Every structure is written in structure tokens, then in C-alpha cells.
Amino acid sequence: MVKFDVRQLRYLSREEFRCLVALELGMKNHEIAPSETIASIANLRHGGCYKILRELVQYKLIRYDHRNGIRGYHLTYAGYDYLALRSFSNQDVIYSIGNKIGVGKESDIYIAASEDGTQYVLKLHRLGRICFRKVKEKRDYLKRRKSASWLYLSRLAAEREFSFLKALYDRGYPVPEPLSWNRHAIVMKLIPGYPLSQVNTITNTAKVYTKLMQLIVRLAQMGLIHGDFNESTS
């Protein structure tokens, strides 16, 4: 389980974020990035960069690794979280993070808020809780890839979900309004209510059933199937 702790976010220096971004760029074509590569991309002296990398390891934002004779670093989900949250903050999308309100096989969901107190939903995709083969079976955008980093796959999943949400919302479907996407994270408007699984009594079951069936048909007319409309969640 990934620990989500944003307390250190406000204390990270510009140089520390430069190293995180440099590591992310260095991992585009490699599983791990040597410290020399990170220092070069970050445009920092190697000695100063090495000290920062050690601090980021202590914060558990990155991890030191040794694979196939190469020594270097790779981002953790916590480090990826910080990069996404920093971008949302710079765009004035998110000002604060609240409680976790949901967890799934492939994501964690939190309450977030803007500076004026408007509440949003922050969804962090966290692929890697199930095996790559099962993910590949569900994800057509993997195409012929035999392997890929979980961070990259989570980014693709978030990008795909955001694009679908926007397309559905723009066409009047009852989905949350998508506000912003960055890396593996999505910010959307909060819809007040309760999950149907937590509702013990429904006063008008026929009306609810009819609305759900109408939505299924409407989605089917666009060639879409909602994953939550299945036997295990009915």
C-alpha cells in the first residue's frame, strides 16, 4: 500500500524538485537513472545533486537501485504524487488535501480543495497492485508492449480516464466534471451523495432501475460499456 503523506511537500526546495523532474526525464527510456544523468539534466553540480538525492531517498520520494550492472535511482509513487501535486498547485487547481474517501484495485481517491474552499476529488492512479498480465488484458493502449513501468501505465490510465470523462461530460452524461489532469492524477468536481452500495433502502426501485437501464442503453448507443454495470456490483 502506498503511503500518501503531503506534509513534506511544502518544504521541498526548488533544487529538490529539479532533481525529481530530472529523474522523471531520465527514466523515460530507462528503468533507473544514474546520478550523473540526473545531475546533468537538472543542471546541478554532481556533488550537490548527490546530496539532494540522498535526502529524497530519506523522504521516500525516490529509491536507490542496482539492476543489470547499473546503479541509480527511480521514482516512487510518493515522488510521482509530489510532482503531480506541485503542478496542480502551480496551476491554482489544488490548495489543500483532505481525507481519503475511496480505494480500489488501481487507484486512491481523496478530498481536495481550492484556495477558496471549494471541494474537489483527487484521484491517483496506482497500477501495480495486480500483475502486469491482468492489466494488459484490460488496457488496449498497451498495444504490443511486453513490459512498462507502473508509473508510466498509471499515467496512461489517468490520461485515458480524463479524456473519457471530458467527452462524456461535454455530451451531457451524468459524470463528474473533469477539471485537470497531470501525470497519474485527475482532479474532478465532487458530487454530493453516497455510493449505491451504502444505501440500505430505496423508496422507488422501479424509477432507479429505469434510469440505470436508460443510461446503459445510452452508453451502448455510443459503443461504450460501464465497468461498474456487472453482476458482481449489481
Side-chain angles (χ1 to χ4, degrees), residues 1-17:
M1 185 67 68
V2 179
K3 185 176 181 181
F4 184 66
D5 187 351
V6 298
R7 289 175 296 180
Q8 189 63 37
L9 180 62
R10 67 179 64 184
Y11 302 114
L12 288 188
S13 65
R14 290 178 58 187
E15 288 74 19
E16 287 170 323
F17 269 109

Side-chain angles (χ1 to χ4, degrees), residues 163-219:
S163 64
F164 268 93
L165 275 176
K166 191 173 188 315
L168 291 170
Y169 182 82
D170 291 345
R171 289 162 176 79
Y173 282 81
V175 298
E177 181 182 356
L179 300 174
S180 188
W181 158 70
N182 188 275
R183 295 176 173 87
H184 65 316
I186 299 173
V187 178
M188 62 191 84
K189 283 195 174 180
L190 175 66
I191 297 179
Y194 301 93
L196 191 57
S197 59
Q198 296 179 10
V199 178
N200 296 321
T201 304
I202 299 177
T203 57
N204 194 333
T205 55
K207 183 177 180 180
V208 172
Y209 177 79
T210 299
K211 287 188 68 174
L212 292 175
M213 291 305 298
Q214 288 174 343
L215 180 57
I216 291 176
V217 172
R218 191 177 169 196
L219 287 168

Side-chain angles (χ1 to χ4, degrees), residues 69-212:
I70 301 175
R71 299 177 185 273
Y73 299 85
H74 65 85
L75 280 169
T76 64
Y77 263 119
Y80 213 42
D81 291 344
Y82 273 33
L83 287 172
L85 291 174
R86 171 86 166 195
S87 295
F88 287 141
S89 177
N90 289 340
Q91 297 165 18
D92 294 324
V93 176
I94 286 181
Y95 182 76
S96 61
I97 304 294
N99 296 329
K100 179 187 286 188
I101 59 173
V103 60
K105 293 180 181 179
E106 300 178 349
S107 64
D108 291 329
I109 303 172
Y110 295 83
I111 288 288
S114 61
E115 191 168 4
D116 64 6
T118 302
Q119 288 194 329
Y120 299 137
V121 169
L122 170 68
K123 182 173 183 178
L124 300 170
H125 284 260
R126 303 214 186 279
L127 273 67
R129 293 173 179 170
I130 56 179
C131 72
F132 179 80
R133 179 176 57 81
K134 291 184 179 180
V135 171
K136 189 172 182 180
E137 289 173 355
K138 298 179 180 180
R139 300 288 190 268
D140 61 345
Y141 50 73
L142 291 181
K143 298 180 181 178
R144 296 183 179 180
R145 282 179 174 266
K146 294 183 178 179
S147 64
S149 75
W150 291 118
L151 297 182
Y152 176 72
L153 295 179
S154 295
R155 180 190 184 110
L156 288 181
E159 181 182 12
R160 176 64 64 89
E161 180 176 358
F162 184 82
S163 64
F164 268 93
L165 275 176
K166 191 173 188 315
L168 291 170
Y169 182 82
D170 291 345
R171 289 162 176 79
Y173 282 81
V175 298
E177 181 182 356
L179 300 174
S180 188
W181 158 70
N182 188 275
R183 295 176 173 87
H184 65 316
I186 299 173
V187 178
M188 62 191 84
K189 283 195 174 180
L190 175 66
I191 297 179
Y194 301 93
L196 191 57
S197 59
Q198 296 179 10
V199 178
N200 296 321
T201 304
I202 299 177
T203 57
N204 194 333
T205 55
K207 183 177 180 180
V208 172
Y209 177 79
T210 299
K211 287 188 68 174
L212 292 175

